[in-house]
C-alpha cells in the first residue's frame, strides 16, 4: 500500500530513488519511454495538473519529526537529501538577523554538506552504502541542531515563506526547482494511465507490486508469515492473485521448500502445509500440474454449481428477448474482445506501451526483425493480448513451457492474425517467438515474463469489470470464472468437474459466494428462474419497461443522435438485478430498503461498462438521469406490481434452487467455503454491497432457535417451508450439513459417482470401491439429490417439488440396494436397487441420504441427543 504514509520501504525509495536499499523491492522502470521521467518515480497523486496545484498552494515545505518534508495535500513526502542544500541555504538567508549569527552560519555549513553529498555510482554498491550512511548521519545532525538551538519555530516560518504565496505566481519558482530535483515526479492522477513507471495492482496506483521473485524480497515479505507457521500458529495459506507473480510456478516451489524447512518435513514429494491459490480457470482449463498447491479458492465450482440450475433449453428464447430489448446482436466473445482493446487503450495503456517499447528494442537487436515499426509491433501486442484465451500462460524464466502454454499462445496469435487480415505477419511471428521462449535475444525472456504478468490484469478488467456490464443477456452467469457466452450447463459437465476435482484436487475450496462475486449466491439462484420461465420473463420485462418509460431521460447528443437514459443494456441489467436483490416474500416496504443499494449498484454498473460514463471520465448528466430513473421506478406502484408478481411466482422455486446449490457445495468433493452472512438468504449485489457488516448475534440467535425446535422435526420442517422467506430454512440446511461433515468426516473424503435421476434433478453419491475395482462396483454411502428445475417438476402447481409431483421417476445407479436415512427428515428409506424420487423428496425438497444398517435405523438420528451434543460443543 503506497497511497498513504507509513510504508517505510516506499518512503525510502521516494527519498533516495535508485540509491535506496529498497529500490529493488519494487517493480520500477527507472528508464521509461517518457524521457523526462528518467531516474524518477512517477507519483500520480495530485487532484489537478502539477502547475495548477503548485500555484494554488497545494505544496508546502514543513519541518516534521526532525526533518524537512513536503506536504502535498493530505500526504507528507520525504525530500531527496541532496535537494536540502539549496533549501537550507535559503532558510539561512531568511533567518539572517532573526537568529544568532552562529546559528545561521552553522545552518549554512549543514546546507553545504547536504549540497556536497556524494550520491555515488549506481554500479558501486560500497559507494551507495557510504552515501546512505552519510545522508542518514547528516539528517540526524540537522535534527539535533534544530532541537539544540530551538530553531523549529523560525525554521517553520522560513519554510512557509519558501512555499510561495497563492496570489504571486513567481513566488513558487523556488519550490518548483526543489520539486523538480526529487527522486519522484508529482503529477495529476490521470497521468498514471499513460506514464506510470511502477507496476501496480491492476490499475490501482495506490498499490505497488513488489518483486517477490527476488530472494531478498521473498525473505523480507515472508519473514512474519513463516515465523507464525513455524510456531504452528497457522495451519494453511491462501494465496490471492497468484497470476500477478513474475513466476507463479517458481514462487510456489520456493514457498513449499521454505515450509518444509520450517516445519521439519522431510518428504519433499508431499506439500508441507495446506496451500490454496486464487486462480480463475477457463471452462476448459485446469490448474497447472506444476503448481505446488492443493487446489484453488473455488471459482470453478461456483461456475458449475450456478450453471447447472440454468436451463439450456431457454438459450434461444433468452437471447431473443435480450436482442429485441437492447438491440445488441453481438455475442459475448465480441464484447470481451472489444473490452480488452478498450482496457489496453485506457486503464492499462501505460503497461501496454511499456511492453511495446521493449518489443521495439528487442526487434532492433535482431536483423531479421529490425524493420518492424513501433506501430506494427504495438498493434500486434494489443491484438494478441486481446485474443488471449485464458488469464495467462506460465512459461518459465528458463524457457520451460507446457503443451498447454504453447497451445494458448499459438491460439492467441492465430486468432489475432485472423481478425486482422491486412496487418503484416512479421510482428505477430516475432511476438510469438518471444512468448514461446524460443528467442535467445538478451531481454527476450524478461519481456515474455512481463507479457504474462499483464494478460491477467487485462483479462480481469476487461471481462469481469467491463464485458459483464455490457453484455447483460443472462447476468446469472456473468460471474467470476463463469461462461456467459452460453446459457446454462449440462449435467455431465457438472459431474465431470466434480470427478476431476475428486481425482486431482480433492482439497480445493468449493465456493458459491466470495468477496469478488458480482452477486450473492441466492440472487443468482433467483435469476436462474428466468431460464425456466423465459416467456413469462419476456412479458414481464416489457411490462416493466412500459411502466418505467415516464422516468427515462433523453440527453442532447451535442450534434449527434440524442441518447436515452438509461441505455437499453443498463435498463435490462437493472430489471434482472431487481429480481435478484428483491428479498424473498418481499412486501412494498422492501422497495424502500432497496433504493440506496440499487442507486449505488447502477452507478457502479454504468461506470464499469464504460459505454456512457466511466470511473475515469464520469458523465454527470447520464449519472444523474440514471439516479432519477432508479428513484422514480422504485417509488412507482405501477412499476412495482409486475415485478412483485413475477418474484412471487418464482420465490419458492428460486429458494429450492438456492438450497440445492448449498447442498451440492457441502456434499461435493472439496472443502466448502461459506462467505460471511450467507448462512441465511444472501441476495447481495457486487461490492461494496456484499461487504456490509454481518449481524452475527442475529445468526447465533436464529441457530439457537432452530436447535430448540429440533425435537419435533416434522413440525419444524413444515414451519420452515411455510416461513421460508425469513432465511431460517437455509440456516437449517447449512447447519445440518456442516454437522454431518463434522460427524462423518470419512464420507467427505471418499469417492464420487454421478447418479441418474433424469434431467430435472442433480444427484451424486459419495462412497468407495475396492482397490482396482471397476466403476460399476462403487458402493454409495452418501447420496445427495436436489431438484434442478423445480418449476418444470411441479408445472407451477405446487409450492415445493415434493412427493407425488415426481410421479414414477427414480434415482438409478449401481449398488443402491440398502437402507438409508434422510438427513433432513429422519425418514428411513429402503431400496431394492433404485430409489423413487417421490420417496426421497416426500417431505422436503432436498435429499441427503446416508446408508445405514437396517437394525440401527432408529439409532442413526436422535434429534434430542444430536442437539445436546451440539450445545456441549458450542459451549466448550
Amino acid at each position: 500500500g503506497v497511497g498513504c504514509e507509513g510504508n517505510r520501504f516506499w518512503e525510502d525509495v521516494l527519498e533516495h530513488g535508485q540509491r535506496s536499499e529498497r529500490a529493488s523491492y519494487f517493480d520500477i522502470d527507472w528508464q521509461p519511454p517518457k524521457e523526462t521521467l528518467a531516474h524518477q518515480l512517477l507519483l500520480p497523486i495530485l487532484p489537478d495538473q502539477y502547475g495548477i496545484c503548485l500555484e494554488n498552494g497545494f505544496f508546502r515545505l514543513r519541518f516534521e519529526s526532525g526533518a524537512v518534508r513536503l506536504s502535498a495535500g493530505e500526504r507528507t513526502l520525504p525530500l531527496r537529501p541532496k535537494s536540502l542544500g539549496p533549501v537550507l541555504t535559503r532558510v539561512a538567508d531568511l533567518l539572517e538577523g532573526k537568529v544568532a549569527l552562529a546559528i545561521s552560519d552553522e545552518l549554512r555549513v549543514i546546507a553545504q554538506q547536504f549540497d556536497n553529498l556524494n550520491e555515488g555510482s549506481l554500479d558501486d554498491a560500497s559507494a551507495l552504502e557510504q552515501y546512505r550512511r552519510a545522508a542518514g548521519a547528516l539528517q540526524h545532525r540537522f535534527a539535533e541542531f534544530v532541537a539544540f538551538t530551538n530553531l523549529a519555530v523560525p525554521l517553520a516560518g522560513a519554510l512557509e515563506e519558501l512555499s510561495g504565496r497563492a496570489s504571486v505566481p513567481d513566488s513558487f519558482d523556488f519550490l518548483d526547482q526543489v520539486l523538480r530535483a526529487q527522486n519522484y515526479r508529482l503529477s495529476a492522477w490521470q497521468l498514471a494511465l499513460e506514464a506510470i513507471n511502477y507496476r501496480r495492482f491492476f490499475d490501482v496506483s495506490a498499490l505497488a507490486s513488489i518483486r517477490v521473485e527476488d530472494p531478498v524480497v521473498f525473505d523480507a515479505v515472508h519473514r512474519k508469515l513463516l515465523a507464525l507457521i513455524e510456531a504452528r500458529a497457522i495451519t494453511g495459506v491462501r494465496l490471492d492473485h497468484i497470476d500477478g507473480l513474475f513466476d507463479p510456478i517458481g514462487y510456489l516451489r520456493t514457498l513449499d521448500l521454505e515450509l518444509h524447512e520450517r516445519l521439519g518435513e522431510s518428504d519433499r514429494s508431499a506439500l508441507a502445509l495446506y496451500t490454496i491459490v486464487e486462480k480463475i480457470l477457463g471452462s476448459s482449463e485446469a490448474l497447472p500440474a506444476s503448481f505446488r498447491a492443493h487446489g484453488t479458492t473455488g471459482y470453478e465450482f461456483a461456475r458449475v454449481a450456478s450453471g447447472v440450475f440454468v436451463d439450456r433449453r431457454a438459450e434461444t428464447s433468452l437471447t431473443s428477448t435480450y436482442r429485441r430489448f437492447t438491440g445488441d446482436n453481438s455475442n459475448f466473445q465480441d464484447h470481451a474482445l472489444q473490452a480488452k482493446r478498450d482496457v489496453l487503450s485506457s486503464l492499462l495503456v501505460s503497461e501496454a506501451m511499456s511492453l511495446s517499447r521493449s518489443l521495439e528494442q528487442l526487434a532492433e537487436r535482431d536483423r531479421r526483425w529490425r524493420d518492424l515499426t513501433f506501430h506494427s509491433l504495438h498493434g500486434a501486442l494489443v491484438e494478441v493480448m486481446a485474443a488471449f484465451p485464458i488469464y495467462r500462460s506460465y512459461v518459465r524464466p528458463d524457457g520451460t513451457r507446457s503443451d498447454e502454454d504453447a497451445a494458448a499462445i499459438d491460439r492467441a496469435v492465430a486468432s489475432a492474425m485472423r481478425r486482422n487480415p491486412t496487418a503484416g505477419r512479421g510482428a505477430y511471428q516475432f511476438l510469438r517467438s518471444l512468448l514461446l521462449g524460443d528467442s535467445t535475444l538478451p531481454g527476450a525472456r524478461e519481456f515474455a515474463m512481463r507479457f504474462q504478468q499483464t494478460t491477467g490484469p487485462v483479462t480481469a478488467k476487461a471481462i469481469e469489470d467491463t464485458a459483464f456490464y455490457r453484455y447483460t443477456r443472462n447476468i446469472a452467469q456473468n460471474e467470476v470464472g463463469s461462461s456467459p457466452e452460453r446459457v446454462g450447463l449440462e449435467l455431465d459437465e457438472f459431474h465431470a468437474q466434480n470427478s476431476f476435482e475428486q481425482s486431482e484436487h480433492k482439497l480445493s475450496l468449493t465456493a458459491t459466494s466470495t468477496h469478488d462475486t458480482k452477486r450473492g449466491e441466492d440472487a443468482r439462484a433467483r435469476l436462474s428462474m428466468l431460464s425456466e420461465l423465459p416467456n413469462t420473463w419476456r412479458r414481464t420485462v416489457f411490462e416493466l419497461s412500459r411502466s418505467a418509460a415516464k422516468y427515462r431521460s433523453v440527453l442532447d447528443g451535442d450534434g449527434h443522435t440524442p441518447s436515452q437514459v438509461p441505455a437499453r443494456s443498463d435498463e435490462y441489467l437493472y430489471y434482472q438485478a431487481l429480481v435478484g436483490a428483491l428479498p424473498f416474500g418481499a412486501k412494498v416496504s422492501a422497495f424502500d430498503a432497496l433504493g440506496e443499494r440499487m442507486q449505488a449498484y447502477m452507478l457502479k454498473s454504468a461506470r464499469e461498462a464504460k459505454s456512457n460514463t466511466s470511473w475515469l471520465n464520469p458523465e454527470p448528466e447520464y449519472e444523474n438521469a440514471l439516479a432519477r430513473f432508479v428513484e422514480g421506478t422504485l417509488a412507482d406502484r405501477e412499476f412495482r406490481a409486475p415485478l412483485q408478481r413475477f418474484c412471487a411466482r418464482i420465490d419458492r422455486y428460486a429458494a429450492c434452487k438456492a438450497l440445492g446449490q448449498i447442498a451440492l457445495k457441502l456434499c461435493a468433493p472439496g472443502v466448502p467455503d461459506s462467505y460471511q452472512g450467507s448462512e441465511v438468504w444472501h441476495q447481495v449485489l457486487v461490492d461494496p454491497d456484499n461487504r456490509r457488516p454481518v449481524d452475527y448475534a442475529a445468526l447465533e440467535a436464529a441457530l439457537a432457535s432452530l436447535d430448540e425446535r429440533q425435537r419435533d422435526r416434522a413440525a419444524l420442517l413444515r414451519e420452515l417451508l411455510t416461513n421460508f422467506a425469513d432465511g431460517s430454512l437455509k440456516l437449517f440446511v447449512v447447519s445440518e450439513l456442516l454437522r454431518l461433515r463434522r460427524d462423518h468426516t470419512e464420507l467427505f473424503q471418499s469417492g464420487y459417482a454421478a447418479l441418474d435421476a433424469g434431467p430435472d434433478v442433480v444427484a451424486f453419491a459419495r462412497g468407495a470401491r475396492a482397490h482396482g475395482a471397476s466403476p460399476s462396483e462403487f458402493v454409495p454411502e452418501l447420496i445427495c439429490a436436489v431438484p434442478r428445475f423445480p418449476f418444470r417438476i411441479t408445472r407451477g402447481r405446487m409450492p415445493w417439488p415434493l412427493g407425488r409431483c415426481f410421479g414414477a421417476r427414480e434415482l438409478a445407479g449401481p449398488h443402491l440396494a440398502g437402507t438409508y436415512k434422510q438427513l433432513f427428515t429422519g425418514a428411513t428409506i429402503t431400496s431394492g436397487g433404485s430409489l423413487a424420487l417421490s420417496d426421497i423428496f416426500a417431505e422436503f425438497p432436498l435429499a441427503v441420504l446416508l446408508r445405514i444398517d437396517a437394525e440401527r435405523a432408529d439409532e442413526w438420528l436422535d434429534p434430542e441427543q444430536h442437539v445436546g451434543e451440539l450445545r456441549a460443543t458450542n459451549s466448550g
Side-chain angles (χ1 to χ4, degrees):
V2 297
C4 58
E5 297 166 45
N7 186 331
R8 57 190 176 89
F9 287 3
W10 184 251
E11 293 196 357
D12 195 66
V13 176
L14 297 182
E15 183 175 0
H16 299 293
Q18 289 175 271
R19 291 161 179 80
S20 167
E21 192 177 2
R22 312 299 183 186
S24 63
Y25 280 37
F26 299 95
D27 216 340
I28 301 169
D29 181 4
W30 295 102
Q31 293 289 344
K34 191 175 178 65
E35 294 180 2
T36 55
L37 263 179
H39 307 295
Q40 282 188 308
L41 176 66
L42 184 71
L43 216 55
I45 63 172
L46 306 184
D48 208 332
Q49 298 297 314
Y50 165 77
I52 295 174
C53 288
L54 177 70
E55 295 183 11
N56 284 340
F58 188 77
F59 307 116
R60 315 306 290 172
L61 293 172
R62 308 283 193 209
F63 181 73
E64 293 183 4
S65 304
V68 177
R69 294 169 67 83
L70 176 70
S71 171
E74 296 181 356
R75 291 285 297 275
T76 301
L77 304 169
L79 293 173
R80 182 179 183 178
K82 195 171 180 66
S83 73
L84 293 175
V87 172
L88 296 184
T89 298
R90 290 289 298 272
V91 168
D93 293 341
L94 291 171
L95 295 182
E96 191 80 49
K98 299 177 182 178
V99 297
L101 181 61
I103 293 177
S104 59
D105 286 347
E106 180 65 16
L107 191 57
R108 285 192 172 89
V109 171
I110 295 174
Q112 190 62 48
Q113 289 176 330
F114 273 114
D115 208 31
N116 292 338
L117 269 175
N118 181 1
E119 293 184 324
S121 169
L122 294 175
D123 299 325
D124 188 339
S126 61
L128 292 178
E129 178 59 31
Q130 186 176 354
Y131 153 72
R132 288 190 290 264
R133 284 201 304 270
L138 195 51
Q139 292 274 30
H140 182 67
R141 179 189 170 190
F142 173 62
E144 286 192 329
F145 169 73
V146 173
F148 182 73
T149 59
N150 295 317
L151 193 62
V153 173
L155 173 61
L159 291 173
E160 178 62 25
E161 188 170 345
L162 291 176
S163 299
R165 298 188 302 280
S167 58
V168 185
D170 290 349
S171 67
F172 293 98
D173 290 351
F174 176 73
L175 182 57
D176 180 37
Q177 293 173 13
V178 173
L179 297 184
R180 288 176 183 272
Q182 299 310 307
N183 291 304
Y184 50 85
R185 174 176 166 175
L186 292 156
S187 79
W189 64 269
Q190 293 94 333
L191 189 57
L193 297 174
E194 297 184 28
I196 192 107
N197 60 335
Y198 62 89
R199 196 164 60 84
R200 306 166 290 173
F201 175 76
F202 293 103
D203 60 337
V204 184
S205 299
L207 294 173
S209 300
I210 50 175
R211 299 181 61 251
V212 76
E213 64 272 14
D214 183 327
V216 174
V217 181
F218 181 95
D219 292 342
V221 169
H222 292 77
R223 188 173 296 125
K224 183 65 175 178
L225 173 67
L226 292 172
L228 290 169
I229 290 171
E230 192 171 10
R232 305 303 197 271
I234 287 176
T235 57
V237 177
R238 169 188 169 125
L239 302 163
D240 275 16
H241 298 282
I242 194 79
D243 280 348
L245 295 175
F246 184 77
D247 177 19
I249 294 170
Y251 170 83
L252 288 168
R253 289 178 180 175
T254 300
L255 178 62
D256 188 47
L257 287 172
E258 283 286 344
L259 293 173
H260 275 89
E261 185 72 24
R262 298 300 179 104
L263 295 173
E265 298 287 343
S266 57
D267 182 5
R268 295 298 172 92
S269 63
L271 291 167
L273 191 76
Y274 181 57
T275 304
I276 52 171
V277 296
E278 185 189 41
K279 166 64 186 163
I280 300 171
L281 297 164
S283 57
S284 58
E285 185 185 8
L287 191 69
S290 50
F291 269 36
R292 295 289 288 167
H294 288 93
T296 73
T297 55
Y299 286 118
E300 55 273 24
F301 181 82
R303 176 179 68 86
V304 297
S306 292
V308 77
F309 288 103
V310 177
D311 195 339
R312 283 194 46 73
R313 292 170 289 190
E315 180 160 14
T316 299
S317 179
L318 290 178
T319 303
S320 173
T321 301
Y322 170 71
R323 289 179 174 174
R324 179 181 163 193
F325 189 92
T326 65
D328 178 14
N329 292 314
S330 300
N331 59 36
F332 178 74
Q333 290 305 323
D334 293 334
H335 280 286
L337 181 67
Q338 186 56 49
K340 286 187 178 183
R341 289 171 176 155
D342 291 346
V343 164
L344 285 165
S345 66
S346 58
L347 295 177
L348 300 176
V349 66
S350 62
E351 285 79 1
M353 293 297 288
S354 178
L355 281 170
S356 295
R357 294 294 181 194
S358 298
L359 189 58
E360 182 184 36
Q361 292 167 4
L362 288 168
E364 282 288 340
R365 297 172 192 161
D366 191 323
R367 63 191 181 196
R368 294 170 298 174
W369 308 111
R370 73 176 191 179
D371 289 344
L372 294 173
T373 66
F374 176 82
H375 176 77
S376 64
L377 290 167
H378 181 66
L381 182 135
V382 167
E383 288 301 306
V384 170
M385 199 167 275
F388 221 75
I390 53 179
Y391 275 72
R392 68 166 284 169
S393 54
Y394 299 94
V395 179
R396 302 293 311 286
D398 63 1
T400 304
R401 66 174 188 251
S402 67
D403 292 342
E404 290 79 10
D405 293 326
I409 292 167
D410 283 339
R411 180 179 166 189
V413 173
S415 176
M417 288 194 295
R418 188 168 57 251
R419 287 194 175 95
N420 296 274
T422 62
R425 295 299 184 252
Y428 291 95
Q429 293 165 355
F430 177 53
L431 180 57
R432 177 182 178 275
S433 69
L434 295 174
L435 298 182
L436 289 172
D438 292 340
S439 175
T440 58
L441 287 172
R445 296 279 167 80
E446 175 81 9
F447 169 83
M449 303 301 287
R450 295 296 180 202
F451 181 96
Q452 292 182 134
Q453 274 185 295
T454 308
T455 57
V458 169
T459 302
K461 295 305 294 184
I463 302 297
E464 300 161 30
D465 294 340
T466 305
F468 280 179
Y469 295 93
R470 291 180 180 177
Y471 184 74
T472 57
R473 175 183 65 175
N474 174 37
I475 65 172
Q477 289 182 268
N478 285 24
E479 271 300 350
V480 181
S482 195
S483 306
E485 64 265 21
R486 61 175 185 154
V487 170
L489 195 78
E490 299 290 0
L491 269 174
D492 58 357
E493 294 176 81
F494 173 83
H495 292 305
Q497 178 64 40
N498 282 338
S499 296
F500 177 80
E501 293 298 313
Q502 172 63 26
S503 170
E504 303 297 326
H505 303 293
K506 63 179 64 178
L507 293 179
S508 268
L509 292 188
T510 53
T512 42
S513 288
T514 76
H515 64 292
D516 273 340
T517 45
K518 301 302 179 186
R519 52 202 56 83
E521 58 201 35
D522 301 322
R524 292 199 306 275
R526 288 172 66 86
L527 287 166
S528 71
M529 286 303 303
L530 272 55
S531 68
E532 284 200 73
L533 295 163
N535 295 328
T536 305
W537 168 245
R538 179 190 292 112
R539 291 192 298 271
T540 300
V541 78
F542 280 103
E543 187 176 356
L544 289 170
S545 185
R546 286 191 295 272
S547 300
K550 62 177 88 61
Y551 302 108
R552 294 193 194 99
S553 303
V554 176
L555 301 183
D556 184 2
D558 294 329
H560 303 288
T561 305
S563 58
Q564 174 187 293
V565 184
R568 296 295 275 179
S569 59
D570 288 347
E571 187 177 351
Y572 198 67
L573 177 141
Y574 173 59
Y575 299 147
Q576 291 179 78
L578 282 173
V579 170
L582 196 65
F584 286 103
K587 306 299 182 188
V588 173
S589 59
F591 287 92
D592 296 331
L594 269 181
E596 185 177 341
R597 294 172 58 202
M598 291 307 301
Q599 290 280 13
Y601 175 74
M602 289 307 298
L603 175 61
K604 174 166 183 166
S605 298
R607 287 183 174 179
E608 296 284 28
K610 307 171 189 65
S611 299
N612 301 288
T613 185
S614 69
W615 297 106
L616 292 176
N617 297 296
E619 289 290 344
E621 282 192 276
Y622 186 89
E623 294 179 358
N624 292 336
L626 181 62
R628 291 194 299 270
F629 178 82
V630 173
E631 181 182 16
T633 53
L634 290 181
D636 190 304
R637 189 181 307 173
E638 181 186 359
F639 174 84
R640 295 192 307 236
L643 184 63
Q644 281 186 289
R645 283 197 304 272
F646 182 79
C647 289
R649 190 173 188 190
I650 68 169
D651 258 359
R652 285 176 172 79
Y653 307 120
C656 184
K657 289 190 178 196
L659 298 175
Q661 191 173 230
I662 290 300
L664 296 181
K665 177 174 76 172
L666 292 173
C667 292
V671 179
D673 178 23
S674 293
Y675 186 64
Q676 54 188 7
S678 68
E679 297 87 354
V680 291
W681 297 134
H682 197 238
Q683 295 172 253
V684 296
L685 301 167
V686 72
D687 65 281
D689 194 54
N690 65 1
R691 302 182 191 185
R692 289 177 294 159
V694 176
D695 190 344
Y696 289 106
L699 290 175
E700 289 175 356
L703 183 59
S705 174
L706 279 176
D707 292 343
E708 289 294 333
R709 293 177 285 162
Q710 287 275 11
R711 290 177 177 82
D712 188 345
R713 181 65 68 96
L716 173 61
L717 294 185
R718 286 194 298 271
E719 180 185 343
L720 291 175
L721 290 174
T722 300
N723 301 320
F724 75 99
D726 67 7
S728 296
L729 175 60
K730 183 180 181 183
L731 182 60
F732 168 76
V733 171
V734 170
S735 60
E736 288 298 300
L737 287 172
L738 285 177
R739 289 162 179 168
L740 181 68
R741 291 185 66 94
R742 179 197 62 191
D743 296 339
H744 297 271
T745 307
E746 71 289 346
L747 279 180
F748 299 95
Q749 297 172 346
S750 64
Y752 178 92
L755 298 177
D756 180 16
D760 296 336
V761 173
V762 188
F764 59 81
R766 306 297 303 275
R769 64 173 67 97
H771 180 69
S774 67
S776 63
E777 295 173 311
F778 180 92
V779 178
E781 297 294 336
L782 178 145
I783 294 171
C784 175
V786 303
R788 184 185 180 197
F789 302 129
F791 185 86
R792 287 185 181 276
I793 293 169
T794 63
R795 298 181 183 179
R797 297 171 185 169
M798 295 176 63
W800 299 96
L802 299 175
R804 59 186 175 82
C805 69
F806 287 95
R809 283 182 276 189
E810 294 183 327
L811 185 151
H815 301 290
L816 287 181
T819 301
Y820 300 86
K821 270 288 186 182
Q822 222 283 27
L823 172 71
F824 301 112
T825 66
T828 303
I829 302 172
T830 301
S831 166
S834 62
L835 289 160
L837 296 184
S838 59
D839 288 341
I840 66 174
F841 296 121
E843 301 172 52
F844 200 69
L846 301 179
V848 174
L849 310 177
L850 189 74
R851 184 187 292 271
I852 57 173
D853 298 329
E855 61 272 17
R856 295 182 58 230
D858 294 332
E859 302 174 14
W860 186 80
L861 183 63
D862 180 343
E864 185 170 348
Q865 179 184 359
H866 183 65
V867 174
E869 290 174 351
L870 178 73
R871 289 201 192 100
T873 301
N874 285 344
S875 64

